[in-house]
Amino acid sequence: MVAVIIDAVAVFASLQNPDSGVLDFSLISNTNFTLVGIVSAIGIVLCVVFAIISKVTSNSAKKVN
């Protein structure tokens, strides 16, 4: 969830025209897509890791009972 928020802030910050403050979609090329990609990749990896940990933890809890 945090990765989505950071990506949205990075994209929308670059879309805002510094002179008028209006969103200008022609400024999309100013977006730091390296940052967006890295943050998205980290978010996906963490999501997978937490899903695996959750599954392992729930399976081990069922075996104990």
Side-chain angles (χ1 to χ4, degrees):
M1 185 68 171
V2 173
V4 173
I5 294 170
I6 292 172
D7 287 344
V9 168
V11 170
F12 284 109
S14 67
L15 291 178
Q16 189 172 11
N17 188 327
D19 298 328
S20 64
V22 177
L23 285 180
D24 185 1
F25 287 96
S26 66
L27 298 173
I28 192 77
S29 62
N30 294 340
T31 303
N32 186 351
F33 286 108
T34 304
L35 173 67
V36 172
I38 290 171
V39 169
S40 297
I42 291 171
I44 291 168
V45 167
L46 287 176
C47 183
V48 169
V49 167
F50 289 143
I52 291 170
I53 290 172
S54 174
K55 187 173 183 176
V56 168
T57 305
S58 67
N59 286 342
S60 65
K62 288 178 185 176
K63 290 179 184 177
V64 169
N65 295 330

